[in-house]
């Protein structure tokens, strides 16, 4: 999350590198995490503002995360949408590369439904904690200008929270800008180093993300089963998938038909309006008593197929093939 005033979308030629990196990462994955790809696309499209979305998207001046304006006007648009806006191309690309790496690992390990639930929870928690911290600093220390009136946008608060979740169970060490630290404390080290080298970065936004990740893990540890939000998302996903499954099943049924007169393969049982030849497994109309494929005679007694002539069934395989070719040209 970066603070300051909007300078406009200036291209530095970094977006093609982001696209190439994303395609390369997804190409080598056996399963492509869809939610991570959707988040990447959403952030990038909002930054680029293509013509077909221009009339639908609010301008950045309407969505800056500003604690004073959010509390004064009860402006939830700023609260939720500010995370999807970025001040320039390098800000976007840096955050999206981080999202790509963290999102692939988390979504692959926990599944798409739980990953969506986690992202929604972390977004709300990180923004809420940053708002609470800014208000507390105003009330107790009269810090109005540095934090309460600060303007900020960006996905990095959620990324800090995701980093806490991702590294929570690790006992290894990691390299944070040349500094070797325990992996579980990597987010804290990154918070301090970013603030030292990028003073324009939103300190409260990043701190709120770290505290949101810690709170999420605490709440998740208290709840043994799947959280209610994950259950709701999973049910909605299944509901949306039902029409696609229905259409897919219809196409699969149509593919089983070779022609209007029958199918080949499957069990030796009588179908509605047809009987299946046990000699060659071809489905014939009930009007026929000889198999249209191999010529074998059968009777359908009470739904049980009985062979009435064995001469075709006893023919050698090559002779049976020759007769089929003669019959069907």
């Amino acid at each position: 999350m970066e603070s300051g005033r909007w300078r406009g979308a200036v291209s530095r030629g970094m977006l093609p590198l982001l696209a190439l990196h994303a395609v390369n990462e997804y190409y080598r994955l056996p399963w492509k995490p869809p939610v991570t790809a959707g988040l990447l696309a959403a952030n990038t499209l909002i930054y680029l503002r293509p013509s077909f979305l221009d009339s639908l998207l609010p301008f950045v001046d309407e969505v800056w995360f500003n604690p004073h304006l959010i509390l004064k006007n009860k402006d939830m648009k700023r609260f939720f949408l500010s995370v999807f806006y970025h001040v320039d191309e390098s800000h976007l690309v840096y955050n999206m590369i981080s999202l790509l790496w963290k999102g692939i690992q988390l979504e692959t390990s926990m599944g798409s439904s739980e990953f969506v639930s986690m992202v929604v929870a972390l977004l709300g928690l990180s923004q809420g904690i940053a708002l609470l911290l800014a208000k507390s600093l105003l009330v107790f220390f009269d810090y109005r200008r540095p934090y309460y009136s600060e303007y900020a946008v960006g996905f990095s608060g959620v990324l800090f929270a995701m980093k806490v979740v991702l590294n929570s169970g690790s006992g290894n060490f990691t390299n944070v800008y040349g500094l070797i630290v325990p992996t579980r404390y990597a987010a804290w080290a990154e918070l301090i180093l970013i603030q030292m080298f990028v003073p324009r970065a939103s300190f409260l936004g990043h701190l709120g993300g770290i505290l949101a990740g810690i709170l999420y893990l605490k709440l998740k540890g208290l709840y043994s089963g799947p959280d209610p939000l994950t259950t709701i998302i999973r049910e909605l996903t299944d509901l949306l998938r039902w029409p696609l499954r229905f259409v897919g099943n219809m196409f699969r049924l149509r593919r089983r038909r070779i022609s209007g007169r029958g199918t080949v393969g499957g069990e030796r049982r009588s179908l509605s309006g047809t009987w299946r030849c046990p000699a060659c497994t071809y489905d014939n109309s009930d009007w026929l008593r000889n198999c249209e494929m191999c010529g074998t005679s059968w009777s359908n007694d009470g739904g049980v197929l009985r062979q009435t002539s064995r001469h075709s069934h006893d023919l050698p395989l090559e002779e049976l093939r020759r007769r089929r070719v003669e019959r069907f040209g």
Side-chain angles (χ1 to χ4, degrees), residues 132-188:
L132 180 62
L133 290 174
K135 184 65 175 179
S136 300
L137 289 171
L138 172 69
V139 172
F140 295 110
F141 302 100
D142 197 25
Y143 277 16
R144 173 175 293 274
R145 179 60 188 166
Y147 301 114
Y148 192 66
S149 300
E150 179 183 74
Y151 291 85
V153 289
F155 207 76
S156 52
V158 181
L159 293 173
F160 268 88
M162 292 171 64
K163 179 186 282 288
V164 172
V165 175
L166 183 62
N167 296 338
S168 60
S170 176
N172 300 324
F173 288 81
T174 189
N175 188 320
V176 180
Y177 302 112
L179 185 65
I180 305 300
V181 297
T183 302
R184 67 180 63 184
Y185 301 123
W188 291 102

Side-chain angles (χ1 to χ4, degrees), residues 293-306:
M293 177 64 76
C294 66
T296 304
S297 299
W298 296 89
S299 65
N300 192 348
D301 298 332
V304 179
L305 298 178
R306 302 185 185 281

Side-chain angles (χ1 to χ4, degrees), residues 112-125:
S112 295
S113 298
E114 189 174 351
F115 181 70
V116 171
S117 169
M118 184 198 71
V119 170
V120 172
L122 293 180
L123 190 155
L125 288 173

Side-chain angles (χ1 to χ4, degrees), residues 68-329:
H68 170 66
L69 295 177
I70 291 174
L71 294 175
K72 177 184 177 182
N73 303 323
K74 297 180 175 57
D75 193 347
M76 302 310 292
K77 180 170 60 177
R78 294 180 183 271
F79 185 89
F80 288 108
L81 295 184
S82 58
V83 298
F84 298 103
Y85 283 72
H86 294 82
V87 296
D88 55 34
E89 192 168 303
S90 60
H91 185 207
L92 171 73
V93 171
Y94 180 84
N95 279 351
M96 292 304 99
I97 289 177
S98 179
L99 171 62
L100 181 66
W101 184 76
K102 295 178 179 69
I104 286 175
Q105 295 186 76
L106 288 169
E107 188 175 357
T108 302
S109 63
M110 63 176 54
S112 295
S113 298
E114 189 174 351
F115 181 70
V116 171
S117 169
M118 184 198 71
V119 170
V120 172
L122 293 180
L123 190 155
L125 288 173
S126 62
Q127 296 287 83
I129 291 173
L131 189 65
L132 180 62
L133 290 174
K135 184 65 175 179
S136 300
L137 289 171
L138 172 69
V139 172
F140 295 110
F141 302 100
D142 197 25
Y143 277 16
R144 173 175 293 274
R145 179 60 188 166
Y147 301 114
Y148 192 66
S149 300
E150 179 183 74
Y151 291 85
V153 289
F155 207 76
S156 52
V158 181
L159 293 173
F160 268 88
M162 292 171 64
K163 179 186 282 288
V164 172
V165 175
L166 183 62
N167 296 338
S168 60
S170 176
N172 300 324
F173 288 81
T174 189
N175 188 320
V176 180
Y177 302 112
L179 185 65
I180 305 300
V181 297
T183 302
R184 67 180 63 184
Y185 301 123
W188 291 102
E190 188 172 350
L191 171 69
I192 297 171
L193 292 173
I194 285 180
Q195 206 61 37
M196 289 172 58
F197 297 109
V198 190
R200 290 178 55 247
S202 174
F203 177 75
L204 286 189
H206 295 169
L207 178 60
I210 293 176
L211 297 177
I214 295 173
L215 181 58
Y216 174 81
L217 291 172
K218 295 290 185 184
L219 294 175
K220 189 173 178 63
L222 295 175
Y223 196 80
S224 57
D227 60 275
L229 185 57
T230 299
T231 304
I232 293 172
I233 291 172
R234 188 175 291 119
E235 293 296 331
L236 288 175
T237 303
D238 290 341
L239 185 64
L240 293 173
R241 284 176 180 170
W242 182 84
L244 297 177
R245 287 199 300 266
F246 178 78
V247 173
N249 290 335
M250 291 293 294
F251 276 105
R252 278 195 292 270
L253 286 174
R254 290 183 62 124
R255 281 199 298 268
R256 291 181 60 189
R257 301 291 300 179
I258 293 179
S259 69
R261 298 188 298 179
T263 61
V264 177
E267 301 173 6
R268 296 184 179 184
R269 57 187 177 87
S270 178
L271 305 176
S272 177
T274 64
W275 58 273
R276 181 160 295 172
C277 175
C280 68
T281 70
Y282 185 81
D283 287 343
N284 300 273
S285 170
D286 278 343
W287 294 94
L288 301 176
R289 287 295 170 263
N290 292 335
C291 177
E292 196 174 9
M293 177 64 76
C294 66
T296 304
S297 299
W298 296 89
S299 65
N300 192 348
D301 298 332
V304 179
L305 298 178
R306 302 185 185 281
Q307 187 179 7
T308 58
S309 176
R310 296 181 55 85
H311 71 280
S312 295
H313 186 58
D314 293 335
L315 289 174
L317 182 59
E318 290 300 324
E319 177 64 17
L320 185 59
R321 287 175 179 168
R322 187 186 64 79
R323 292 192 180 189
R324 288 176 181 171
V325 171
E326 289 178 354
R327 179 178 293 273
F328 295 99

